[in-house]
Amino acid sequence: MRRKPFRIIALASVLVLLGLGGVWWNHSGVAAAAAGGGSTATGVPSPAPPVSVAGAPSGKDPTGARAWVAGMLYRYAASADLKVSFGRSPGQGKDATHPAGMHFSLRGEWEVGVVSVNAEAIKLRVHLKPSVFELSVEEQSAIAPDARQAMMAILAMPFFVTLDKAGAVTLTHFEQGVDELARGLLRTLVASSQFVVRGVPPATWQSEEYDTSGRYLADYQRLPANRFEKRKKTYGAVATPQGLLPVGSDLRLSVGGVTNIELGEDLWPQSLNGRERLTVDSGEGVPTVTNELELSLRLLERRMDPSLSNAFAAREPFLSTAMLASFQGQATDPLAHHRQVLGNRSLDDILKELRALPEDEKARDDARTRALEQLRALFMLRPAEALKVPDLLRSGLTPLAASPLLGALSAASTPEAIRSLVVASGDTALESDVRMDAVSALGSAGEPNREGVDALRTLAQDPDPKLRGTATLAFGNAAYQMGDTDARGSDALVEELKNNYRGARSPEQQSLILRSLGNTRAPSALQTLTDALRSESPQVRESALVALRAIPGPEADRLLAERLLSDTVSEVRRSAVFSCGFRPLAPLLPALGQALRKDSSDGVRADIVQLLGQVRGSVPDAMALLRWASQNERHPEIRRMATVFVDTPTGAVPSQPGSDLIR
């Protein structure tokens, strides 16, 4: 008798983690509110024929594996039907009652955009644009028109997901306060549209993946014509309020169904058609639950979208993050993701792999990325382990093996991790490359502290010019990183760099400090950079323009445009073009166009053509300048370069045989 309440809770838990608890418990009043209202949609207009997708850059790397292209947007026609039905358990009589079955229908567009790609993870922005949302209970509409519109508005809010490099979803990031039902449905769609593979897809492979129910094993098989078949095999763990727990005898999950996926040249789905079935048996006395999902995606468009670049950073303070395989509604454990990444691996386990890196470059890079992710998780979960790193570096690790250790310390940014980076960066017994990596990692730490900043300040006076330069640049980056946690301290570091510039005696010193000042991205650096542009030294003016690349505001645009059109030294003007490539280009196009027509330097004009060619897919006016250059540019190689860009589908970046004239 004491076990029955637990099983009822387990059933409720399963419904919630399937994305359904929000309906049954939190939205139980919807059906009553719908009495006499709301008609069920009986049809959806056929999606428009697919638009041409040839204009976007290929996402396939030279090895044939999938590469992740930041800024790429994929737009799909989407259709989803989710049905939940309840049956009697073996211990229930014929007259036993159980909850009614539910059916959700969704139609619309499904947009997936690649926000960022780094050594640790990929961030995607996902945006459902629903045209139809229906909820029925026992085949009767159970949602009033006003409730339907409200739910469609919530479902249409963009959200973000984090993937590993194989494409497996690990985290979801929703706007705070988003309804649990909407989260559950969207998490289910994300989980069911995963295609997970490392490297080039082989004939068959297995993948351990996560969905809203837990952790499962999937089988993949290659079919003809770049098509693949995916089947869920077994669940090894289930999401509970206590986290992921092994599937035990009290809870039996059986899975079935198949997903067929056709990939494009970039190894992203051209189409996906899946049917999944999951039955949960919580034991005697509790109804069984069957969850059936049909999902269809068809690619409509593939293009570059410049709005993706800062999308996650702009919304991050307002997002609620949770593991995909988490019990919906539970408080987020900030370390849960790290536990999932690390598993039961130890520092020795990870080091063993780093000491035996593969010879193949792709396999070696994948192994180093995995090691960095696992080491970061280890240093977050067990901070004292970070203190072992300096001794490990002295034990003879190669720079390739040492780099993930240092990167993980920087990513963890715990006091212990910072301490280890300080020790490593000052250790003269280490190879120069390893010390340089340690200094760079110290400047990139997400949460720099005084100890780390003081070490960079000292290293900026080191006799070794390479180390000295790296430390100076890292000092500016540390000031930028500190802005999130210690704005006053960050401002003090910016002032220190400004004072250092005024005290510098040589153009070389001034140039290095200016570049460090640019790394701070501080608006207060603008006056110093403006003063530097009046220097008689071309080297100083060049560095000031490079530093302007990340300084916000229209005044920085004005200074770049002014120097591009007026500086007497071509290398300085080329630095202006370089910095334009890091900024929104619309305000700078008039100056770039004028320089393209009139600048006397072949190198400047070639740089402008190269920049315009790279952005022509996202900046429409760039194509007009390229067409002009393809007809009127006086240098034949630059004219040919512009012609190639004009004739190449928008977004692709062709190779340029004439690039030797640029340098």
Side-chain angles (χ1 to χ4, degrees), residues 12-31:
S13 302
V14 169
L15 288 171
V16 171
L17 59 90
L18 288 173
L20 308 174
V23 173
W24 197 249
W25 283 277
N26 296 342
H27 291 262
S28 57
V30 171

Side-chain angles (χ1 to χ4, degrees), residues 540-589:
V540 171
R541 299 198 304 274
E542 184 179 344
S543 293
L545 289 171
V546 171
L548 281 171
R549 73 193 186 282
I551 304 297
E555 180 62 16
D557 289 335
R558 188 191 69 78
L559 291 170
L560 286 169
E562 179 184 88
R563 279 293 154 179
L564 172 61
L565 297 176
S566 66
D567 203 283
T568 58
V569 179
S570 63
E571 286 304 315
V572 176
R573 301 197 300 276
R574 295 183 76 176
S575 293
V577 178
F578 168 80
S579 288
C580 288
F582 291 83
R583 305 179 66 82
L585 215 56
L588 295 160
L589 277 178

